[in-house]
């Protein structure tokens, strides 16, 4: 993480060596594997016993025989029934593996991406606690996964393992950059057994590694305190992505003067009270060879700290002490950019846009009742300075449309209403485009992240009308706050552009782990890849028609 020499509090992040874990899918019997920890994922059905008390499942039966009945004895003593979340680990001697773990899957193995990622996290916990250098994950019933899903299952588990072994919180996920002493992760090699093997699985595992790296980067950004990660530093991190992947990326960083020239009055009004200057970030990805068939934009809210302004956040529910997470949307954008810099999908041009600033309090700051003018000329009466994210996104969306894009997705920790409505694990999506909704839904099936579409009820716009300007920045009544926030953003998107708003206020942060989640990175990467692959499919279809 880059940092300024005069960081507030003299805090500078430690340089932490990035996690390097290699994943390989292999085709051997679990009992023949050699290494530190072998973990076997089992369902309740897998633990069924024959009349002579031996396992009916072939994998468990062979392992139990190899261990002289220790596995069946231990599972009985520990009352291990294969229920979801159950875990038992045995220390062994005289075997090719030093420890054997059983991970419960429940009644059956619902091998969705989300379930596989959860299994990867449990596996990571076993390997982490054992301080293992090598570990393997096997399925007691590999036939439970359909052949076509095995590559995705392996990749999802690889993602869960790589991400959650990086650092530990409450025994598992640890961010060591701001500790005087840090714990090392020992794991270097992971083998996946029973998930298939070959070029397609290898390709998905490589992709999972790239996505995991992007998610970890996104987590690091959100976890960084606001006295370290200022708007200028966030722009530096974006520029580093462009320089690292200079074959496909260019960076444009606009300072306050340039934003003023572009008439970004809505964005600049939010930034006006802070001693830390704003930075408008624009990364542009162009595919190798430059053959662009589709143009996309991903826009992220980039409030590196949000005090609420004169409508200051008060009370425990407002979580002012956690408002470093208010740039969670921008973290998803930049994390996705980093991953895509490695993957280099063909056919798509992608613009990654962040209007980064702080929302603070001073004599130069915007006041409730002020009227600001966005870069498309529309005027906004500010009736609440804590509804600032939409003001920054307004100018960012106008800018994105000017890039000539076909589709835009914005991600933002925009409303507490969405956390109330959908809880801590699900993001809300609002869009007038059914096609775009279907694309993101398909991407989320692969990523394992959870979304729920909310109605974009146009009649609610009546509550957003101002008596002295084109619009208010918050509704006259609090009900439907997620919807009115999205309707506000819609005023700054060209009608010809497909657009979706994603409110990530709930899932961007884990209160249980006291850490960022990296939410949104995986789905945005999958969305771009699906647009890239659909271009290739269209070209193949057209080519076939011409031949006919």
């Amino acid at each position: 993480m880059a940092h300024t020499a005069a960081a507030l509090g003299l805090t500078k992040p430690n340089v932490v060596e990035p996690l390097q874990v290699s994943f390989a899918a292999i085709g051997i019997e679990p009992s023949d594997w050699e290494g530190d920890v072998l973990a076997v994922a089992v369902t309740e059905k897998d633990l069924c016993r024959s009349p002579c008390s031996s396992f009916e499942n072939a994998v468990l039966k062979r392992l139990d025989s190899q261990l002289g009945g220790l596995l069946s004895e231990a599972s009985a003593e520990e009352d291990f029934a294969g229920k979801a979340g159950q875990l038992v680990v045995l220390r062994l001697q005289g075997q090719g593996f030093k420890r054997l773990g059983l991970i419960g899957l429940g009644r059956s193995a619902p091998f969705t991406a989300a379930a596989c990622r959860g299994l990867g996290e449990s596996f990571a916990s076993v390997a982490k606690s054992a301080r293992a250098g090598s570990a393997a994950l096997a399925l007691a019933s590999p036939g439970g996964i359909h052949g076509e899903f095995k590559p995705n299952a392996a990749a999802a588990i690889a993602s869960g393992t790589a991400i959650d072994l990086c650092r530990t919180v409450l025994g598992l996920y640890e961010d060591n950059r701001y500790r005087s002493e840090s714990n090392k992760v020992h794991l270097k090699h992971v083998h996946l057994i029973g998930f298939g093997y070959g070029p397609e699985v290898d390709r998905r595992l490589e992709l999972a590694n790239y996505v995991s790296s992007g998610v970890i980067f996104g987590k690091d950004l959100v976890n960084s305190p606001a006295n370290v990660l200022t708007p200028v530093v966030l722009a530096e991190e974006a520029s580093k992505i462009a320089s690292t992947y200079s074959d496909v990326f260019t960076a444009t960083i606009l300072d306050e003067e340039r934003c003023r020239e572009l008439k970004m009055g809505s964005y600049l009004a939010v930034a006006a009270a802070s001693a830390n200057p704003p930075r408008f970030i624009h990364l542009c990805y162009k595919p190798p060879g430059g053959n662009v068939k589709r143009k996309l934009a991903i826009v992220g809210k980039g409030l590196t700290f949000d005090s609420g302004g004169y409508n200051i956040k008060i009370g425990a529910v407002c979580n002012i002490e956690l408002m470093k997470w208010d740039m969670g949307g921008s973290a998803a954008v930049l994390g996705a950019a980093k991953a895509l810099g490695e993957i280099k999908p063909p056919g798509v041009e992608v613009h990654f846009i962040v209007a980064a600033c702080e929302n603070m309090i001073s004599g130069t700051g915007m006041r409730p009742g002020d009227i600001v003018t966005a870069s498309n000329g529309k005027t906004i009466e500010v009736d609440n300075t804590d509804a600032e994210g939409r003001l920054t996104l307004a100018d960012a969306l106008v800018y994105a449309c000017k890039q000539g894009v076909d589709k835009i997705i914005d991600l933002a920790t925009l409303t507490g209403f969405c956390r109330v409505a959908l809880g801590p694990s699900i993001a809300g999506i609002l869009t007038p485009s059914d096609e775009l909704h279907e694309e993101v839904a398909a991407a989320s099936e692969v990523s394992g992240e959870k979304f729920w579409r909310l109605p974009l009820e146009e009649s609610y716009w009546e509550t957003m009308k101002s008596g002295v300007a084109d619009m208010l920045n918050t509704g006259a009544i609090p009900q439907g706050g997620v919807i009115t926030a999205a309707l506000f953003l819609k005023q700054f998107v060209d009608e010809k552009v497909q657009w979706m708003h994603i409110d990530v206020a709930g899932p961007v942060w884990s209160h249980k782990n006291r850490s960022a989640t990296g939410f949104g990175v995986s789905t945005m990467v999958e969305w771009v890849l699906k647009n890239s692959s659909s271009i290739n499919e269209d070209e193949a279809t057209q080519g076939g028609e011409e031949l006919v």
Side-chain angles (χ1 to χ4, degrees):
M1 180 71 66
H3 54 78
T4 57
L8 180 66
L10 304 182
T11 300
K12 296 180 181 179
N14 300 320
V15 177
V16 178
E17 184 178 346
L19 180 66
Q20 298 292 334
V21 181
S22 66
F23 291 89
I26 58 177
I28 65 171
E29 287 292 331
S31 55
D32 295 333
W33 182 81
E34 295 185 356
D36 293 329
V37 175
L38 170 65
V40 182
V42 300
T43 65
E44 295 177 33
K45 183 180 179 181
D46 294 330
L47 292 172
C48 290
R49 311 289 182 92
S50 66
C52 60
S53 296
S54 63
F55 291 110
E56 294 181 2
N57 178 271
V59 170
L60 296 182
K61 186 174 183 178
R62 183 168 179 175
L63 283 168
D64 195 36
S65 176
Q66 182 174 325
L67 299 176
L70 179 62
L71 187 59
S72 56
E73 181 182 330
S75 62
E77 288 181 357
E78 297 290 337
D79 195 27
F80 181 82
K83 295 184 183 298
Q86 278 192 313
L87 182 67
V88 62
V89 181
L90 307 177
R91 183 190 292 269
L92 307 172
Q93 290 184 343
Q95 301 295 326
F97 37 89
K98 299 175 184 177
R99 285 180 173 83
L100 174 64
L102 296 179
I103 300 174
L105 295 174
R107 290 189 177 183
S108 60
F111 281 107
T112 61
C116 288
R117 177 164 294 188
L119 175 56
E121 292 168 2
S122 297
F123 172 54
S125 178
V126 174
K128 177 72 177 181
S129 61
R131 300 170 67 86
S134 60
L137 177 64
L139 293 175
S141 298
I145 304 181
H146 295 298
E148 64 272 16
F149 184 64
K150 284 186 177 181
N152 284 343
I157 287 170
S159 297
T161 305
I163 294 165
D164 290 288
L165 272 169
C166 184
R167 298 165 299 272
T168 313
V169 168
L170 302 177
L172 177 60
Y173 184 85
E174 183 176 295
D175 189 337
N176 290 318
R177 295 170 302 148
Y178 300 97
R179 298 181 186 274
S180 56
E181 296 182 4
S182 61
N183 298 321
K184 291 187 67 176
V185 173
H186 300 272
L187 192 66
K188 298 296 181 185
H189 306 287
V190 172
H191 290 144
L192 301 173
I193 303 171
F195 295 89
Y197 55 94
E200 178 60 18
V201 176
D202 291 342
R203 187 188 72 82
R204 290 298 304 182
L205 287 175
E206 182 181 42
L207 181 65
N209 277 327
Y210 295 150
V211 175
S212 296
S213 177
V215 173
I216 290 168
F217 179 65
K219 289 185 178 184
D220 283 347
L221 291 176
V222 178
N223 281 337
S224 294
N227 61 324
V228 173
L229 188 74
T230 63
V232 169
V233 173
L234 187 61
E236 290 173 0
E237 291 297 321
S239 296
K240 283 167 61 177
I241 293 172
S243 61
T244 301
Y245 307 105
S246 58
D247 57 329
V248 290
F249 267 109
T250 56
T252 302
I253 309 298
L254 308 180
D255 60 13
E256 183 176 356
E257 181 178 354
R258 181 63 181 134
C259 291
R260 194 174 299 278
E261 291 173 359
L262 293 175
K263 299 182 179 180
M264 296 182 177
S266 184
Y267 163 49
L268 292 177
V270 178
S274 178
N276 288 308
R279 287 293 183 269
F280 192 96
I281 301 164
H282 176 201
L283 296 181
C284 179
Y285 168 87
K286 292 192 176 181
N291 185 21
V292 176
K293 298 292 186 180
R294 190 168 296 160
K295 294 185 179 182
L296 311 174
I298 309 177
V299 179
K301 178 183 173 183
L303 269 292
T304 57
F305 189 78
D306 175 24
S307 71
Y310 279 106
N311 292 107
I312 191 168
K313 296 178 183 290
I314 56 174
V317 177
C318 292
N319 296 120
I320 191 172
E321 73 281 1
L322 291 176
M323 280 302 108
K324 64 180 183 179
W325 80 23
D326 215 21
M327 39 65 64
S330 66
V333 168
L334 297 181
K338 184 179 188 300
L340 291 165
E342 290 278 6
I343 299 166
K344 297 177 175 52
V348 287
E349 178 178 301
V350 190
H351 298 266
F352 302 86
I353 297 169
V354 175
C357 65
E358 292 182 325
N359 184 26
M360 302 297 283
I361 302 171
S362 77
T364 62
M366 68 177 177
R367 296 144 295 210
D370 284 356
I371 295 176
V372 300
T373 305
S375 49
N376 65 348
K378 293 187 177 181
T379 58
I380 306 155
E381 181 184 1
V382 180
D383 61 345
N384 190 318
T385 61
D386 193 26
E388 86 300 330
R390 64 197 70 183
L391 296 176
T392 66
L393 288 169
D395 282 325
L397 289 169
V398 172
Y399 182 94
C401 290
K402 289 181 178 178
Q403 308 311 308
V405 298
D406 307 301
K407 306 174 185 180
I408 298 175
I409 293 179
D410 75 75
L411 300 97
T413 50
L414 205 62
T415 69
F417 296 109
C418 202
R419 281 188 302 182
V420 172
L422 299 179
S425 302
I426 305 171
I429 59 177
L430 299 98
T431 177
S433 170
D434 292 338
E435 178 184 337
L436 194 52
H437 170 251
E438 290 172 3
E439 289 180 5
V440 172
S444 69
E445 288 180 5
V446 178
S447 72
E449 295 178 324
K450 297 178 181 179
F451 300 83
W452 189 261
R453 188 179 186 180
L454 297 170
L456 198 62
E457 178 55 54
E458 292 287 348
S459 66
Y460 289 8
W461 183 246
E462 287 296 318
T463 70
M464 299 289 287
K465 291 184 177 179
S466 166
V468 291
D470 293 333
M471 68 194 81
L472 296 165
N473 73 325
T474 59
I477 56 175
Q479 291 87 354
V482 185
I483 298 172
T484 54
L487 289 172
F488 178 90
L489 297 178
K490 187 171 179 284
Q491 311 306 308
F492 302 92
V493 180
D494 290 346
E495 290 185 1
K496 62 183 179 181
V497 177
Q498 292 186 42
W499 161 76
M500 172 183 286
H501 164 59
I502 304 180
D503 195 325
V504 297
V508 77
W509 185 263
S510 170
H511 289 275
K512 176 183 177 181
N513 294 332
R514 303 176 187 175
S515 176
T517 63
F519 187 93
V521 174
S522 299
T523 302
M524 289 300 97
V525 171
E526 288 294 339
W527 176 63
V528 172
L529 295 181
K530 285 188 177 297
N531 272 274
S532 174
S533 62
S534 68
I535 293 170
N536 296 332
E537 290 169 2
D538 290 344
E539 290 178 345
T541 301
Q542 292 169 5
E545 289 173 352
E546 289 172 3
L547 289 173
V548 173

